Amino acid sequence: MHSNVNTLFDNLWSNYLTVTPSAEKIHDLLGSTQKDDIINDHIALRTFNIEKVGLEKLAAHFLAIGYKECGEYHFEAKKLYAKHYEHSDPNQPKVFISELLVEKCSPELQAIVTDMVSQIDESAVTADNFLYSGTHWKVSTDTYKQLLAESEYAAWMSAWGYRANHFTVNINTLAKFNNIHDVNQALKDAGFVLNTSGGEVKGSPEVLLEQSSTLADDYAVTFSDGDMSIPSCFYEFAIRYPKADGELYTGFVAASADKIFESTNAR
């Protein structure tokens, strides 16, 4: 397990950039000349609710470096369950971990996922690099498409495995922008495509959180039977509003997160 928060996030970021080339360009676009005004609000990780790799196994890596469990979320239609974690230092990124409720899926999907997970070495799950270790299996393009027909989430996991599904720019700390609409406009003007599911802006000041995101980059994956370009990871943007006590809201809004998941849908 990592002893250092910054090292872990540096490694997650480097790994994320390898399949999300647009993130570097967006970083340059939104940041001021100093670049230190781009603060990561949160990352998200995906997994399956199979004990060997369940949400809690991923969370253990964060609990070991000062994170604590804060909220839980249910996504009935997508058959997902999630929790979010916050560090004792509020300047550290929040972490959102979701898992697919495999038993609620078809027997075919269950068989594929069980087979994938069986190929993961038990020791790999507790290794320092597990959260950015990618896939521990090979699937065919046909298997990927079969999963995709039932669960985009399962298909994404089969291709990309363990890595940050997205990073999130904290709009509150940007020097050049002070609202989400200007950020979205700057992204569109620069040619980036936004996720419009549920609207370009998900959430509102009333629910204390507004979010938007790009559509995932297309990136080539080497499947067992050849290469295919599919959606990889995306970049999210979030602005948080103060609660009644004046402190910024630090949680997540399930209705908005539900639509953010769709940033990895094919264009």
Side-chain angles (χ1 to χ4, degrees):
M1 299 273 178
H2 276 277
S3 55
N4 185 305
V5 181
N6 297 337
T7 309
L8 173 57
F9 279 94
D10 286 348
N11 287 325
L12 283 161
W13 173 251
S14 303
N15 171 260
Y16 163 80
L17 285 183
T18 60
V19 300
T20 322
S22 68
E24 195 83 82
K25 297 182 188 123
I26 291 170
H27 210 263
D28 293 343
L29 175 72
L30 299 182
S32 62
T33 44
Q34 286 77 37
K35 286 287 184 299
D36 55 8
D37 61 328
I38 293 206
I39 305 292
N40 177 25
D41 179 83
H42 70 273
I43 64 161
L45 296 154
R46 296 178 174 187
T47 191
F48 303 109
N49 72 333
I50 294 173
E51 196 192 345
K52 187 185 198 177
V53 293
L55 187 157
E56 304 296 346
K57 294 289 170 67
L58 276 62
H61 289 264
F62 295 101
L63 297 176
I65 51 174
Y67 277 81
K68 63 181 191 297
E69 192 178 301
C70 288
E72 61 169 359
Y73 311 88
H74 300 269
F75 304 93
E76 303 295 338
K78 290 184 173 66
K79 303 180 170 72
L80 304 175
Y81 171 71
K83 288 183 178 179
H84 98 264
Y85 300 81
E86 295 177 25
H87 195 270
S88 50
D89 170 1
N91 296 315
Q92 294 295 351
K94 288 166 275 295
V95 175
F96 187 90
I97 307 174
S98 57
E99 62 184 6
L100 180 66
L101 307 175
V102 180
E103 73 283 356
K104 296 195 167 174
C105 301
S106 71
E108 292 77 15
L109 183 146
Q110 292 183 44
I112 295 166
V113 169
T114 303
D115 179 57
M116 289 185 334
V117 172
S118 73
Q119 295 175 58
I120 303 174
D121 196 299
E122 205 76 63
S123 64
V125 182
T126 52
D128 270 3
N129 72 340
F130 181 64
L131 299 174
Y132 46 93
S133 61
T135 55
H136 297 250
W137 52 75
K138 272 274 189 275
V139 297
S140 68
T141 51
D142 281 349
T143 300
Y144 170 79
K145 289 173 185 166
Q146 183 185 343
L147 290 173
L148 189 59
E150 181 175 347
S151 166
E152 184 282 324
Y153 186 104
W156 188 92
M157 275 299 298
S158 76
W160 300 110
Y162 293 93
R163 60 177 67 234
N165 168 264
H166 62 271
F167 275 70
T168 309
V169 173
N170 177 346
I171 298 172
N172 297 72
T173 63
L174 292 179
K176 293 201 303 200
F177 301 89
N178 58 15
N179 68 74
I180 197 164
H181 303 285
D182 290 350
V183 168
N184 287 350
Q185 195 57 53
L187 291 163
K188 289 188 290 187
D189 290 347
F192 295 102
V193 183
L194 298 184
N195 166 1
T196 57
S197 178
E200 264 179 19
V201 175
K202 292 100 172 90
S204 65
E206 288 69 39
V207 295
L208 308 181
L209 175 63
E210 288 179 308
Q211 296 163 274
S212 66
S213 60
T214 59
L215 282 182
D217 283 13
D218 269 335
Y219 207 82
V221 173
T222 301
F223 289 92
S224 60
D225 56 344
D227 289 6
M228 184 165 77
S229 261
I230 62 166
S232 59
C233 305
F234 60 94
Y235 217 157
E236 189 188 318
F237 316 94
I239 185 161
R240 295 178 177 278
Y241 292 91
K243 299 176 297 189
D245 64 4
E247 295 288 318
L248 283 184
Y249 177 67
T250 57
F252 292 85
V253 177
S256 301
D258 185 76
K259 301 302 181 194
I260 293 282
F261 277 117
E262 294 171 21
S263 301
T264 48
N265 286 6
R267 299 188 183 195

